[in-house]
Amino acid sequence: MSPSAVTSPGPPGDSAARTPAPGGPGPSGMVPRGDTRGILGPSALLRRISFRRLPPAPALRPYVEHYWLIDWDLPAPYEARVLPHPAVNAVLQWRGGRSRCEVSGVGLQVHTERLEGAGRVAGVQFRPGGFRPFAPEVPVAEWTGRRLPAEEVTGTGPALTEALAAVGEERDDARRAAAVDAWLLSLAPRPDPQAALALELADLARRDRTVCSTSRLAELGGLSVRALQRLFAAYVGVSPKWVILRYRVLDALERAAADGAADWAGIAAELGYADQAHLVRDFTATVGVPPTVYTARSAA
């Protein structure tokens, strides 16, 4: 599975081509996810902000999962909490009258973001393994757990300046997305067979709940365990074991958000756990509270 060659983006402002749709993405990420997976207490957050996902230009879909756009104008500060996916994000934001762009490596812990006043964000969630072609000289593990100015990671240029201006000034979602497309395309990502392999295996860890161990994922990829670990360090930023665990907890969170009376024993079995206690331990260690406490707090 090799990323396709980069071509020119579609016409700016093509809103029909950018209408978000519910459901999960296909292998190329054409359809943005319609879930709230990873947002802790999604109902409370979505009462306070406007949240949308949009697809990137077709040439960027081998690398980018989706764009996420949020806008807020709050009478009082609010702390949003998110359990990060195993993905690098680029965050273009306008707040307090100033614009900036940061590259956020894979977050290892629950992330808390304080929102106050008015602000706008256009975020890029790269597919796991999809960021390396934009900064090919540095292993993705170098960015893990860090947030850095984009200029230090990808360099600067007029396309980034224009994208930041669009986030601060442009109210049309399609035009914001087109400006981000132009910035990413200006970085000229090139197909990389190793990136393609990392993308494929990380996607397998996300979608196939029978993949419960590094050894199983290595077997499916035709790699030794050590080779798989090296691949993920270089292209995903975290270990295969970490990716498998994080996707299982993200799935459990989504079940908790959908059903306050969730059958945790059944969920544990569906997610490939040997028993409910193992799921509870992983969930608690990752989120900070047991599943039943999390669902009670989310319903409050």
Side-chain angles (χ1 to χ4, degrees):
M1 184 183 71
S2 298
S4 60
V6 173
T7 57
S8 299
D14 183 4
S15 58
R18 292 192 177 280
T19 302
S28 61
M30 289 185 182
V31 180
R33 298 195 330 267
D35 55 62
T36 59
R37 188 173 281 112
I39 301 174
L40 303 185
S43 298
L45 178 63
L46 296 178
R47 287 197 299 267
R48 293 170 170 84
I49 68 165
S50 172
F51 175 78
R52 296 90 69 204
R53 293 189 183 103
L54 294 177
L60 293 166
R61 291 174 189 169
Y63 314 104
V64 175
E65 184 90 20
H66 57 251
Y67 298 149
W68 48 276
L69 278 63
I70 63 173
D71 301 78
W72 68 90
D73 190 355
L74 299 173
Y78 179 76
E79 289 191 341
R81 300 177 70 239
V82 176
L83 181 65
H85 289 244
V88 174
N89 282 259
V91 185
L92 299 89
Q93 56 187 300
W94 174 89
R95 57 169 80 186
R98 300 179 64 183
S99 296
R100 70 179 188 274
C101 180
E102 293 180 326
V103 170
S104 178
V106 177
L108 301 177
Q109 310 294 334
V110 170
H111 173 69
T112 300
E113 186 73 25
R114 181 180 173 88
L115 305 177
E116 55 187 324
R120 292 190 287 276
V121 168
V124 182
Q125 182 172 314
F126 293 89
R127 296 176 64 200
F131 180 72
R132 180 72 183 269
F134 294 85
E137 302 303 320
V138 181
V140 177
E142 179 70 20
W143 318 121
T144 297
R146 303 173 66 193
R147 298 181 70 173
L148 297 146
E151 295 83 356
E152 294 184 20
V153 180
T154 62
T156 188
L160 177 56
T161 302
E162 291 169 12
L164 285 169
V167 172
E169 301 167 7
E170 184 58 68
R171 299 306 177 107
D172 181 78
D173 283 354
R175 293 186 182 279
R176 282 197 217 178
V180 178
D181 285 339
W183 169 51
L184 293 178
L185 289 167
S186 76
L187 300 175
R190 285 179 285 186
D192 177 340
Q194 289 295 99
L197 180 59
L199 284 157
E200 183 177 9
L201 293 177
D203 194 60
L204 189 61
R206 171 171 61 178
R207 295 176 179 279
D208 188 345
R209 284 293 152 260
T210 67
V211 176
C212 298
S213 67
T214 301
S215 59
R216 176 57 177 159
L217 188 59
E219 178 186 358
L220 292 172
L223 301 171
S224 69
V225 167
R226 183 63 189 133
L228 179 66
Q229 291 169 335
R230 288 197 298 267
L231 177 73
F232 270 52
Y235 286 89
V236 181
V238 285
S239 71
K241 179 179 179 180
W242 192 95
V243 171
I244 292 167
L245 170 61
R246 179 54 54 95
Y247 277 134
R248 293 163 98 188
V249 174
L250 285 166
D251 277 356
L253 271 172
E254 189 69 6
R255 308 291 183 89
D259 183 3
D263 173 11
W264 291 105
I267 292 172
E270 290 175 26
L271 296 182
Y273 281 98
D275 53 44
Q276 180 179 347
H278 192 180
L279 167 60
V280 170
R281 285 196 300 272
D282 281 352
F283 189 105
T284 304
T286 304
V287 179
V289 294
T292 51
V293 174
Y294 172 77
T295 49
R297 289 180 180 176
S298 297

